[in-house]
Amino acid sequence: MGISSWKEKVLPKIKKVFEKNGTKKAAAAEVTKAFEESKGQYTTEFEGKKTELEAKVVEVYEASPSEVKALIKEPKEAGLKKHSAAVQKFLDELVKIEFPGAKTVSEGATKVGPSYLSGPITFLFEKVSTCIPEEVKKEEEAPAAAAETTAESSEVKEKEIVVEAEKKEEVVTEAVVEKVEAPAEAPPAKEAKVEEAAPEPAPAPAPAAEPPKA
């Protein structure tokens, strides 16, 4: 679809939707519908120009941030919304190299935001992905994988630290509980002092008997 036909067919519909209710969803639905109707034409144009587009697409791809590269690999609506500015810039770059369908999607995304046009953008990203040589993808994936591995390693270490701290806390808690619950030892019984009985006094000797008188 050329610029003239875009202005004659699609743009008036978008303007009409905005004038009628001004809602992004309605405008996005109109853009998506127009795009779907022309998808076959875009595919034919792309296949016919793919050879000459590949070098240009690779150049645009390599100049893009890692967030956009990740979305090209796996488009997600949440990602399109989170990185809308970067996605919009990428779409604008596709327009500059006359990538089939990019003009329609770029103009629509400017008005409603990339997240509302996830269908058309996914279609474009799938076509873009076929233009990226595997060696380029691997070169881009290696740093990302290393960064992901580092992040996972850090996360594992943090979990280990938390688990170790919890174990120490449990040990301390158990020691305190045991100390509280253990019965107090009774003090050693004092040995009763055995008082020795005082010896009884010996009986006094009987008086000697007097001799009989003559």
Side-chain angles (χ1 to χ4, degrees):
M1 185 181 289
I3 296 176
S4 59
S5 58
W6 158 259
K7 289 182 178 179
E8 292 173 4
K9 295 180 180 180
V10 181
L11 194 58
K13 291 180 180 179
I14 296 175
K15 287 182 178 179
K16 185 177 180 181
V17 171
F18 271 98
E19 290 171 358
K20 185 177 181 180
N21 52 25
T23 62
K24 287 185 177 182
K25 286 185 178 180
E30 192 66 38
V31 174
T32 301
K33 181 181 178 182
F35 185 88
E36 290 293 329
E37 291 173 353
S38 303
K39 186 184 287 187
Q41 182 183 343
Y42 295 145
T43 300
T44 302
E45 289 180 13
F46 172 75
E47 294 298 333
K49 298 173 64 177
K50 184 176 180 180
T51 303
E52 67 176 275
L53 280 172
E54 284 180 347
K56 297 177 182 179
V57 170
V58 169
E59 185 177 350
V60 173
Y61 175 84
E62 290 182 334
S64 302
S66 58
E67 293 83 3
V68 172
K69 292 172 182 175
L71 287 171
I72 291 172
K73 181 180 178 182
E74 189 177 358
K76 294 181 179 180
E77 188 173 335
L80 295 175
K81 186 175 182 179
K82 184 177 181 180
H83 306 292
S84 58
V87 172
Q88 183 65 58
K89 185 177 179 181
F90 183 80
L91 293 174
D92 294 342
E93 292 299 321
L94 292 182
V95 174
K96 292 178 183 179
I97 63 174
E98 298 181 351
F99 195 95
K103 179 72 175 177
T104 303
V105 180
S106 177
E107 291 286 349
T110 299
K111 294 175 174 59
V112 301
S115 62
Y116 284 92
L117 300 176
S118 58
I121 290 176
T122 297
F123 174 85
L124 287 185
F125 282 4
E126 287 175 352
K127 298 300 182 187
V128 166
S129 183
T130 63
C131 293
I132 311 298
E134 287 300 319
E135 56 268 22
V136 175
K137 291 179 181 178
K138 289 179 180 178
E139 288 176 3
E140 296 295 341
E141 288 174 359
E148 186 176 349
T149 301
T150 302
E152 288 178 355
S153 179
S154 299
E155 186 177 349
V156 169
K157 286 183 179 179
E158 289 178 2
K159 287 182 178 179
E160 288 177 352
I161 292 172
V162 171
V163 171
E164 189 65 26
E166 289 177 350
K167 286 182 178 178
K168 289 182 179 180
E169 186 176 349
E170 288 177 2
V171 170
V172 172
T173 303
E174 289 175 1
V176 172
V177 171
E178 288 177 0
K179 187 175 181 181
V180 171
E181 292 181 351
E185 293 183 3
K190 291 183 180 180
E191 294 182 1
K193 289 184 179 181
V194 179
E195 295 182 359
E196 295 181 359
E200 295 182 2
E210 292 180 1
K213 293 180 179 182

